[in-house]
Amino acid sequence: MERAYAWLYRRVGRRYLEVLTAIDLLSALAIAWGTVAILGLYVDMSGAEFIRIVFAAELCILVAFVYGVWSLRRQVMPLRRWVAGERVGVDPTAAWQAAVALPFQLVRHAEKRAIVLVAVPVSAFATAELGLPFYSFFFVLLAALVAIAYSAILHFFAGETALSPVVRELAHVLPADTPPARVGVPLQWKLLGAIPLINVITGVVVSGLSAGDHSSLAGLGLSVVVAVVVAFTLSLELTVLVSRSVLRPVRDLMDATERVRRGDFSARVPVTSGDELGTLALSFNQMMRGVSEREALHDAFASYVDPQLAQRVLDGGPHIEGQEAEVTLAFVDIRDFTTFAEGASAREAVAYVNEFLEIVVPIVTGHGGHPNKFIGDGLLAVFGAPVALPDHADRAVAAAAEMAATVRERCGDRLRIGVGLSSGPVLAGTVGGGGKLDFTVIGDAVNVAARVEEVTRATGDTVLITEATRALVSNGALPLEPRGAISLKGRNDPVRIYALVETHGQIVQTRTRATSGMRSGR
């Protein structure tokens, strides 16, 4: 059936809902014809009487059906617009919810209308048409109510199947963060509602066929009552057991899925059966083992690589195509590390560098920067790649100021650093070969940042920034002192630089040496 409806959806396209409406109406008319035929098993009626009763029933059904379609027009509007081919201005989530909820909405509203507009008037007409005693109306009404319940269940499941091609299409375009919404009927009530009703219909039909000439209208009423009693007493236990057999694994899977949604990747589903649900549980557990391994790899990977880059690689693959980006680079280095290393053991030197990195790396990442490379006792940090940042200069300056203040507060004179900031265009992407790749930034701004950091040794400043960075900083009151225009190795034109000065401990400047040899641009 699903394949047939999928084919029909492809064939009729935007007229699909109208075609489904016509099919729904025809099936309701067919059920009315069958219900009157079942009534004929218990009551003698001529062909003319049969036709008149069927005509009356189908006329009432047509009225109830038209009213029902009209009353649901607003609720199905998002779905109708989607099927009609409208994509602009149509919320896929609203259309999906309308498609999933429509079968239940049809049944919920149709039952009340069917009782008032179909069951009661048709039962009265049939009683009068067949010349039955007035109390026979209640027997006929009882049979009509069973037929309505059967029609409701049938149309509900048929509606779910008929709308499945549209629901599947919408599911592919739903936003990934769409919250779960229970707009349909829970599986438990589908089972507990459908199975007993099947027993009732079967009992009524079998009773009428087996009684033959001895059947009567009173027998019809008795058959309905007995079938209902049996369905909801003797067979109820079997119905509940079947429901639990299906629902228990489903609920286990739902619980495990909710745990995973909250971040518990150790969640597993107990495999309690050897059927398709057991296979589903096994598949879920195998999938979660893979997810756990991926998460462990992500955590381990993030220990060696910046989390921004790790996520970018996991999402898009290891090759990040080189792109030009506007960034600010911060080159951070330990002052006088060579002198320290000469008199220290290898273990002490590594511990010294690690102490330095434990301070500066969290500050860089905290301001949205990317710790790109550890170069000996130094760090190259990038603000603006691999994730673009429109305020990269502001972030870099704030990070540099915090580094200077934090190092001074925690380490005093025991650990001193120099920071050089430069802004400009770079080429950011992966380079490498032989199975080894590295994310890097290439450009003149990288070299300038390294050279400016070297100048801090001559000026005694903790943080120096270039004119290019100063021009991008949004804070016009940034405490800066010009250090003139300096010649940098590898550049023909001098670069104007500025020092961040201390302001209430927020931005640190350490002047311990003279600036002799600096070429002033003032």
Side-chain angles (χ1 to χ4, degrees), residues 349-407:
V350 170
Y352 191 66
V353 173
N354 284 340
E355 181 183 10
F356 156 69
L357 295 176
E358 285 287 347
I359 295 174
V360 300
V361 170
I363 294 175
V364 169
T365 57
H367 287 275
H370 163 55
N372 183 250
K373 284 182 177 60
F374 299 132
I375 307 172
D377 60 318
L379 167 68
L380 174 63
V382 184
F383 295 82
V387 178
L389 299 171
D391 56 344
H392 52 84
D394 290 325
R395 291 172 179 265
V397 171
E402 186 177 347
M403 288 182 216
T406 304
V407 169

Side-chain angles (χ1 to χ4, degrees), residues 181-247:
R182 294 188 177 183
V183 294
V185 178
L187 181 58
Q188 178 179 2
W189 293 110
K190 290 181 182 180
L191 296 172
L192 293 179
I195 296 177
L197 187 59
I198 293 173
N199 294 335
V200 173
I201 295 296
T202 303
V204 172
V205 175
V206 170
S207 176
L209 292 174
S210 60
D213 295 337
H214 301 288
S215 59
S216 64
L217 195 58
L220 172 61
L222 181 62
S223 298
V224 172
V225 172
V226 171
V228 171
V229 171
V230 170
F232 288 96
T233 55
L234 297 180
S235 65
L236 181 62
E237 181 180 359
L238 180 60
T239 302
V240 172
L241 289 175
V242 172
S243 300
R244 288 179 177 175
S245 176
V246 174
L247 290 175

Side-chain angles (χ1 to χ4, degrees), residues 325-347:
E326 286 288 336
V327 302
T328 296
L329 300 119
F331 201 93
V332 192
D333 200 19
I334 300 176
R335 293 269 184 84
D336 303 322
F337 178 76
T338 303
T339 303
F340 168 81
E342 287 178 354
S345 66
R347 184 183 299 273

Side-chain angles (χ1 to χ4, degrees), residues 155 185 273 302 310 340 403 468 481 484 500 503:
H155 283 109
V185 178
S273 65
F340 168 81
M403 288 182 216
E481 283 187 2
L500 286 173
T503 304

Side-chain angles (χ1 to χ4, degrees), residues 95-120:
W96 179 87
Q97 290 179 346
V100 173
L102 183 57
F104 176 66
Q105 295 295 331
L106 287 172
V107 170
R108 186 179 68 174
H109 294 289
E111 279 192 8
K112 299 176 183 178
R113 291 191 298 270
I115 293 173
V116 176
L117 299 178
V118 180
V120 173

Side-chain angles (χ1 to χ4, degrees), residues 28 97 110 431 448 455:
Q97 290 179 346
V431 296
V448 171
V455 174

